[in-house]
Amino acid sequence: MLEVRNLSVVISKDMRNVIEGLSFTLNPGDKAVIIGEEGNGKSTLLKLIHDPALVEGYAEYEGTISKKGVVTGYLPQELTPEEKEEPINGFTRRYIERFGIYERDIPREMRTADELGFDISLTESSRDIGSLSGGERVKLLLFLLICTDPDVYLLDEPSNDIDIETLETLERFMLSADKPILYISHDETLISSTADMVIHIEQLRDKSRPRSTVMRIGYDEYVSRRERSMAAQARVAGEEREAFEKKTERWRRIYDAVDYAQDTVSRQNPSTGRLLKKKMHTVKAMGRRLEKEREELTDFPESEEAILPSFVGKTEMPQGKKVVEYRLPELLSADGMTVLSRNISLSVTGPARVMITGKNGCGKTTLMRLLASELLGRRDIRAAYMPQNYEDEMDLSLTPVELLAPSGEKGDVTMARTFLGAMKFTRDEMTRRACELSGGQKAKLYLIRMLLGDYNVLLLDEPTRNLSPLSGPQVRRVLCEFNGAVIAVSHDRKFISEVGETIYELGLDGLHDVTREWR
């Protein structure tokens, strides 16, 4: 139904080649996930397939995208500023008119809205789209997209910002769809449950060499095969190098012996001198063969996944330390007009790892901000806060190095660069303003700052939402090893189940302990 052949994509701004020689075909019922680090061209690829005009002036491409009359339905990762200012009812009408490929089927629309947990009356609202929460916006776009019934679904981060209940609905829709779905997601559970094809886009060697891998297998099997393949390649490369070093050492001893003999041979012994010269010629030829052999050695496997170190300091928190004892009669919305929850009670004794989940719009982020305002000023603990909107707590006009090493001292700068390098930042990205970085890189910047800081309480609002699924296991490992207290808001099911020791759900009547339901 949709075929991509030998596609290469170059970013116009810096002429960086992000995709090279990519080919794949989408057949009916395929569920293909695109994975890779931020900035690798995943969103650009979806836009290009949907409408090349969306990347004009930003990216150039070569190759063939064959759709043969196929109508693609595209869910963008983010709306434009103009779209966010548009009334919801006007946006809805324009969206339906733009597709114009179906007759209004009100019963079907009602069923779709009910399945998504979406209030269909919202489509008649005159509110600006920008006034909706991230989850409400995603639900609106998913509702409209499903109702227009395209031939192929192109979904850019459909799992971002939506609650667990809607995530499960999205999974059911994707699994039951008889039309191909090409999507990007950071949610490992969604990917593991739905993908039967993996398209992995990587940037190797300081983001100078693109690599694309396409396999028609599930995500878990892909990760397992990849790890086994890389381990086998590393073993072969190590064994070859060990054998090569032994061979080189033997050659070096022979060379030194012949060289020494040449230096000490007597002029009165020309016959021996000629033999030694001939032997040195043979030895040097052996050396040239060794150099050629070195070039043919198996390379160690390359990957672009960040190497997330453990916390630098041995952060400790005494058993039984009271981290927070919080009581709130009413949790109000940001404008103070709506009561989101009542009788909130949260008691955390460290060290502990606490998760807070709940439906979209229930006030999780608002609650986290209130907790941060109380804990960040405390002197008996050392708290750090990673907000959902990164600019809230970090001056993004500074460079990553300036943010991580504000003292400017040589040792601090070296440490910052070491950690940034481990997280796959290039030299250019280390000295570029942080506001120019991708969402995933900003998230990594927060994690590095927490790793370098001597903190014993971490407040995290959706910490994994912009990270590659291949980075997820490392983030979970590091936080499980952390010796302090973690309080996190998340919809990431793997993150919640693996990191969370106590899990709360925020509802209209406060926080409820739902740990048992997750075990």
Side-chain angles (χ1 to χ4, degrees):
M1 292 184 68
L2 186 152
E3 185 178 11
V4 172
R5 292 195 300 272
N6 201 29
L7 182 69
S8 295
V9 179
V10 175
I11 303 303
S12 304
K13 180 181 178 181
D14 53 11
M15 297 307 293
R16 184 165 59 93
N17 191 358
V18 291
I19 297 173
E20 187 172 57
L22 173 63
S23 298
F24 64 90
T25 302
L26 284 184
N27 298 314
D30 282 345
K31 313 296 187 301
V33 64
I34 307 172
I35 63 171
E37 296 294 317
E38 290 295 314
N40 283 9
K42 302 188 299 296
S43 295
T44 301
L45 175 60
L46 281 190
K47 291 176 182 176
L48 192 56
I49 291 172
H50 178 60
D51 181 2
L54 293 176
V55 302
E56 280 184 6
Y58 172 75
E60 302 170 12
Y61 76 99
E62 293 181 351
T64 304
I65 300 172
S66 176
K67 294 198 282 190
K68 298 179 181 176
V70 165
V71 176
T72 54
Y74 171 59
L75 182 127
Q77 185 178 143
E78 188 61 81
L79 295 176
T80 66
E82 295 75 22
E83 286 173 327
K84 287 181 180 179
E85 293 179 359
E86 195 171 350
I88 298 170
N89 51 10
F91 179 87
T92 299
R93 284 194 297 272
R94 186 169 60 80
Y95 193 97
I96 291 172
E97 289 168 1
R98 182 169 74 236
F99 276 87
I101 58 174
Y102 82 120
E103 295 182 3
R104 294 295 295 270
D105 185 342
I106 303 303
R108 180 173 182 267
E109 290 179 15
M110 296 291 287
R111 287 195 304 273
T112 301
D114 185 59
E115 289 169 356
L116 288 174
F118 174 67
D119 181 3
I120 197 170
S121 67
L122 198 60
T123 59
E124 301 301 323
S125 172
S126 59
R127 290 170 55 192
D128 290 351
I129 290 181
S131 69
L132 299 175
S133 70
E136 289 172 323
R137 273 202 300 273
V138 172
K139 286 182 182 180
L140 170 66
L141 292 172
L142 275 173
F143 168 75
L144 293 173
L145 188 63
I146 293 170
C147 287
T148 52
D149 197 26
D151 299 316
V152 176
Y153 289 94
L154 307 175
L155 311 179
D156 194 348
E157 293 293 356
S159 54
N160 259 12
D161 299 317
I162 58 177
D163 55 43
I164 292 172
E165 188 177 332
T166 310
L167 270 171
E168 292 170 346
T169 299
L170 177 62
E171 279 182 18
R172 288 193 294 272
F173 159 72
M174 293 176 69
L175 288 169
S176 64
D178 58 358
K179 296 176 180 179
I181 300 175
L182 178 63
Y183 70 102
I184 301 167
S185 178
H186 294 145
D187 189 295
E188 287 177 74
T189 305
L190 177 75
I191 297 171
S192 295
S193 300
T194 59
D196 54 20
M197 178 177 174
V198 176
I199 301 170
H200 190 179
I201 299 173
E202 299 177 88
Q203 288 283 302
L204 306 175
R205 298 182 186 176
D206 276 346
K207 303 186 180 179
S208 65
R209 185 168 74 85
R211 179 173 71 187
S212 301
T213 305
V214 179
M215 298 187 76
R216 283 190 170 275
I217 55 177
Y219 176 73
D220 291 342
E221 185 181 352
Y222 173 75
V223 172
S224 178
R225 278 196 196 181
R226 184 170 183 265
E227 289 175 350
R228 290 198 304 270
S229 174
M230 292 176 73
Q233 184 179 337
R235 185 176 61 255
V236 170
E239 290 171 351
E240 286 184 3
R241 276 161 178 74
E242 185 178 353
F244 180 78
E245 287 302 321
K246 289 179 180 177
K247 192 182 297 185
T248 302
E249 181 59 32
R250 287 196 298 270
W251 173 83
R252 192 175 292 112
R253 286 198 299 268
I254 295 171
Y255 180 91
D256 290 344
V258 176
D259 187 49
Y260 177 77
Q262 279 188 316
D263 287 343
T264 57
V265 69
S266 169
R267 290 186 178 180
Q268 283 72 37
N269 193 353
S271 175
T272 301
R274 285 194 296 273
L275 286 173
L276 287 171
K277 186 175 182 180
K278 185 176 181 181
K279 190 167 185 179
M280 178 57 83
H281 180 77
T282 302
V283 171
K284 286 182 175 179
M286 287 172 57
R288 288 191 292 272
R289 286 197 297 274
L290 281 173
E291 284 303 312
K292 186 175 181 181
E293 186 177 328
R294 184 195 300 274
E295 294 173 2
E296 295 173 353
L297 291 174
T298 299
D299 291 329
F300 279 101
E302 291 184 272
S303 72
E304 65 169 353
E305 280 79 71
I307 303 169
L308 190 61
S310 295
F311 282 82
V312 176
K314 296 296 183 182
T315 301
E316 296 288 349
M317 174 170 282
Q319 288 288 340
K321 169 67 179 176
K322 184 63 68 177
V323 177
V324 62
E325 191 69 49
Y326 193 70
R327 302 286 182 272
L328 189 66
E330 288 186 338
L331 178 65
L332 301 176
S333 58
D335 59 10
M337 302 297 290
T338 306
V339 176
L340 302 173
S341 183
R342 289 187 172 88
N343 301 319
I344 291 176
S345 176
L346 178 64
S347 179
V348 178
T349 301
R353 298 193 298 274
V354 176
M355 300 287 126
I356 299 175
T357 186
K359 292 186 177 182
N360 290 132
C362 70
K364 300 183 299 296
T365 291
T366 304
L367 176 59
M368 185 61 79
R369 286 177 183 147
L370 292 172
L371 289 172
S373 66
E374 178 163 311
L375 299 185
L376 292 177
R378 289 253 302 270
R379 294 189 176 183
D380 61 321
I381 59 174
R382 300 179 303 281
Y385 174 41
M386 180 180 182
Q388 196 173 127
N389 297 316
Y390 302 132
E391 60 272 15
D392 289 351
E393 291 290 319
M394 191 180 278
D395 183 355
L396 298 183
S397 66
L398 300 176
T399 68
V401 171
E402 290 170 339
L403 285 165
L404 299 178
S407 69
E409 294 180 5
K410 185 176 180 180
D412 292 343
V413 170
T414 300
M415 179 71 79
R417 286 184 173 276
T418 299
F419 271 66
L420 288 166
M423 297 289 270
K424 303 299 183 181
F425 280 71
T426 65
R427 289 179 179 272
D428 174 61
E429 288 166 344
M430 292 180 194
T431 54
R432 183 186 299 172
R433 290 195 308 163
C435 60
E436 299 174 23
L437 300 174
S438 69
Q441 288 172 315
K442 291 171 187 172
K444 289 176 183 176
L445 199 50
Y446 263 94
L447 290 171
I448 296 172
R449 189 162 75 164
M450 289 180 170
L451 288 167
L452 287 172
D454 186 24
Y455 301 111
N456 58 13
V457 177
L458 305 181
L459 302 169
L460 312 173
D461 192 354
E462 294 285 1
T464 60
R465 65 194 294 268
N466 285 314
L467 295 174
S468 159
L470 292 170
S471 300
Q474 288 203 54
V475 175
R476 297 193 295 271
R477 170 188 59 79
V478 167
L479 290 175
C480 285
E481 293 171 354
F482 180 59
N483 293 321
V486 177
I487 303 174
V489 164
S490 183
H491 295 140
D492 183 333
R493 289 162 287 179
K494 272 190 177 291
F495 181 80
I496 294 170
S497 61
E498 292 184 21
V499 178
E501 295 173 325
T502 305
I503 303 166
Y504 292 105
E505 183 174 352
L506 180 62
L508 284 171
D509 53 349
L511 289 166
H512 297 274
D513 190 331
V514 292
T515 309
R516 278 190 170 186
E517 298 173 21
W518 285 84
R519 299 296 179 242

